[in-house]
Each structure stands twice: as structure tokens, then as C-alpha cells.
Amino acid sequence: MTPKPAGTLDGSPDGGWGWVVAAAAFLVNGLSYGLLRSLGLALPDIAEHFGRTAQDTAWVSALALAVQQAASPVGSALSTRWGARPVVMIGGVLTSLGFLFSAFAGSLLHLYLGLGVLAGEGGRSSVLQGLLLLGAITLHLAPCCPLLRPLQLPGDPPAAPRGLLAALGLGLFARPAFLVFALGTALVGGGYFVPYVHLAPHALDRGLAGYRAALVVAVAAVGDAGARLVCGWVADQGWVPLPRLLAVFGALTGLGLLAVGLVPVVGGEEAWGGSLLAAAGAYGLSAGSYAPLVFGVLPGLVGIGGVVQATGLVMLLMSLGGLLGPPLSGFLRDETGDFTASFLVCGSFVLSGSSIYLGLPGALPSCSPASPPATPPPERGELLPAPPGALLSPGGPHATADTSC
């Protein structure tokens, strides 16, 4: 479909259709990440059904997360070449088929291929009958694609990039600030996805019954969703440089994971686990605040025209940690008998990655006021590597004054 030029009579660049795209994106995320978060509730039953360890069953979710993230550069390249609509539709069909095939799994290997590879890319028990329903639900990803109407914006490349390397955007690693950002994000990914897989089993280990364990996941998810809205609004105001917010909320996410791991065992099966609910809520708030900032700093690093490729590369880097983090967490659980060490280690990964973000210009306050120098327009990017006097606020053309020694 030919992109529609920006600019309409009501003053908005998309005529208000952006809200429809946002609703479609909400459904896509709910039917992908939402189901992956909930899948952790089924892992203990899957381990019991197949007689395998927590480390073995963790690979199911780990592969699904890793393949989903690792395929992002390919999806970005395909979307750049052919548009988002066919890519979303094909991905929704593949995800649905992955759940449907997994419903007939006779071994963990079948689940690795079905849920891990196919669903990520796009004997029987009640849990495996349950996968049939999830397959039908995820098929609703496909109808979201017609809502993704393309829009031509300033800074978009005049033509689709030619060649595999150009389409994937690997040249972005030549930018020092993006390289620092990429390294920190890869480390954060080593711990960020562990709660997706093991928060519910951790609640079960702490003595909560099934629905109460599910409530822990729900509290974290509600905190995550609400914090994304609030933090997105705060970031738009330009009060604090985005790299600084990214480092702060990344560190708070790591501390939240440490708190989840250190929660004591609850009193009994009828207990609600208030301390674990509080820790999960704190983690959800911090993780939700971190998530929009990861992609919010990208226009300043690579320009508007490079955001699609940069997003794919960032998700690929996070997939490296997402592939190794949950199995490592499962291994530690098998060795120690609970998930305490798992959450402490994954929290340390997130804290380490957040400390690397401090190497981004603007992440640390400087010592004396400085007049803001001229900065390139956001279409060209390279805002963060600019002289350390100001960073362009995403909310408008005015620079956010910082300080310089």
C-alpha cells in the first residue's frame, strides 16, 4: 500500500488514525507478550506431565521469547521492504499454528519446536488441551494487520534499503552511543525476561495456591501497563534527559527483582502473600517505566529514519539474554530448591546493564550550567553524541538544558 503523506486538516500528521494503530498495537502485545507472561503458570504442570526439571521446561518459554526477539531485525527488514501489514498477518498465523501444534505434543522437544520456535516466530494433559484455546485466541493477531495504515513522515528513507546489511541496519553499530546502548540492553535482557517465565512458579514455591499465584502475575502486569502510560507522558515533557530516566528506571527494575527474590515463604495455602504482591507490584511499576524508554531514546540515537532497524536490533540483543536467562534461572532453582538465587542473579544482570547506560551522554548530571548549543534535527539523529550541553526534548523543538563542566 502506498504510504499516505503526512499532514491533514485537523493538524495531526495522521488524521487521528494513530489511535487506531495504538489499539492494534495493544492487541498485538496482549496476544503475544501477554500470553508468554501467562505461560509460566503452566510450566510446573508441563514439568510434572513430562517428568522433567524446571531447567528443561524453562527452555519452552526461553525459546519463544528469544525467537520472537531475534526475529525482530528480520521483521523490521521485511516491514521496511513490504510494509507492516503482511508481516503482522503472517506472524499471527505462525503464532497460532505454534500453539495448535503444541497441543498434540508428545515430548518436550515438540513443545520446543511448537511453542519455542514456531509460536515465537510468529501423552496429553489439560494444559495441552488448553493450548488449543490459546491457538484460537492468537489467531486474532491477523485481523490487526489491516489497521496498520502506512504514513510518510519526514526523515523516512526515500526508498527501501537495498542489500541485507542495509535492510537490517547493522551500520548503526558504528555509532558509539548506540553501541553503548546496545551493550547495556543486552545485559538487561539477561534478567528482564526471567519473571515472564518464573514469577508464577516462584509464587507457587512461596506457598500460594494457583489463583493466588496468578494474582501475583496480574499485579505485576497491571503495574507494568500503568507505569508505561505515566512514564511515557513524563518522558514527553522533557524535564529529565531520556538516558538518565533509562538508567534510573533500569536500576529500579533490578532492585525490584531482588525484592521479589527475597520475599519469605507465606503462611499457608489460604494466605494471599501480601509481601510478594507488593514486591511484584513494585517490580511491575519499575519494569513498565523502563520499557517505553528503551525505544524512546532511539530517535535521538539513530534518527527517525533508522528507528525501525534500530528497534529490530535492540530486540535481537535482548533475545540473547532472553534465551539464556530463564534456563539459567531454572538451573539455579533445580540446584537450590527455590527461585531465590534465580531472581537475585537476574536482578544483578539488570543492574549491570543499567550501569552501562550511564555512559550515554546526558545520563549523568554535569556540574555547571551551560548554554545549549545547536543540535541536529531529529530526522538525522545523532542527538545524543552531540556536545554535552543539551538534549532535544521529544515533546517539541526546544532543547532541554543540561549542565557542563
Side-chain angles (χ1 to χ4, degrees):
M1 179 177 179
T2 303
K4 181 180 179 180
T8 57
L9 295 178
D10 66 356
S12 61
D14 54 16
W17 191 261
W19 290 107
V20 179
V21 176
F26 173 81
L27 292 175
V28 168
N29 280 276
L31 293 172
S32 55
Y33 285 108
L35 289 180
L36 289 177
R37 282 176 180 264
S38 304
L39 192 59
L41 288 168
L43 291 184
D45 290 333
I46 292 176
E48 181 180 358
H49 177 73
F50 290 111
R52 304 297 287 271
T53 64
Q55 180 186 3
D56 294 335
T57 54
W59 280 103
V60 176
S61 293
L63 284 171
L65 288 167
V67 172
Q68 183 184 56
Q69 302 288 96
S72 296
V74 179
S76 298
L78 294 176
S79 297
T80 302
R81 178 63 180 84
W82 285 293
R85 286 177 166 178
V87 176
V88 172
M89 178 174 287
I90 294 173
V93 172
L94 289 177
T95 302
S96 178
L97 290 176
F99 278 104
L100 292 176
F101 290 162
S102 299
F104 301 95
S107 68
L108 270 184
L109 178 61
H110 296 161
L111 287 181
Y112 293 159
L113 296 176
L115 285 181
V117 177
L118 190 56
E121 179 71 23
R124 300 176 59 90
S125 67
S126 60
V127 174
L128 301 181
Q129 296 286 20
L131 294 178
L132 287 172
L133 179 60
L134 294 180
I137 293 174
T138 53
L139 190 58
H140 289 79
L141 283 167
C144 295
C145 68
L147 304 178
L148 304 178
R149 186 177 67 181
L151 179 69
Q152 187 71 43
L153 293 174
D156 285 349
R162 296 183 177 274
L164 179 61
L165 296 182
L168 295 177
L170 297 181
L172 296 174
F173 287 109
R175 306 189 181 195
F178 183 77
L179 191 59
V180 171
F181 173 78
L183 179 59
T185 302
L187 276 175
V188 169
Y192 189 84
F193 295 108
V194 169
Y196 281 46
V197 182
H198 285 146
L199 181 58
H202 177 58
L204 293 172
D205 279 355
R206 283 295 183 260
L208 296 178
Y211 285 108
R212 293 178 177 86
L215 180 62
V216 173
V217 178
V219 167
V222 170
D224 186 302
R228 289 175 189 244
L229 295 175
V230 175
C231 187
W233 178 82
V234 171
D236 278 344
Q237 306 311 304
W239 296 328
V240 182
L242 295 188
R244 194 174 304 168
L245 287 175
L246 181 69
V248 168
F249 284 114
L252 291 176
T253 302
L255 294 175
L257 291 174
L258 297 182
V260 170
L262 294 174
V263 167
V265 178
V266 300
E269 291 187 358
E270 298 301 321
W272 285 93
S275 57
L276 182 55
L277 287 173
Y283 154 74
L285 290 172
S286 55
S289 300
Y290 167 84
L293 296 171
V294 174
F295 304 103
V297 302
L298 288 180
L301 287 170
V302 302
I304 293 177
V307 166
V308 175
Q309 287 91 347
T311 300
L313 292 174
V314 168
M315 297 184 73
L316 171 63
L317 292 169
M318 296 191 77
S319 76
L320 300 178
L323 178 64
L324 300 177
L328 174 62
S329 173
F331 168 78
L332 292 174
R333 196 273 181 194
D334 293 334
E335 294 296 317
T336 62
D338 58 37
F339 285 101
T340 299
S342 300
F343 279 90
L344 295 181
V345 170
C346 74
S348 300
F349 274 121
V350 176
L351 288 172
S352 300
S354 301
S355 66
I356 292 179
Y357 288 146
L358 296 177
L360 292 172
L364 291 173
S366 32
C367 54
S368 64
S371 58
T375 53
E379 290 81 4
R380 299 207 327 250
E382 295 294 344
L383 296 181
L384 293 181
L391 291 177
L392 194 66
S393 166
H398 302 290
T400 301
D402 202 12
T403 54
S404 175
C405 293

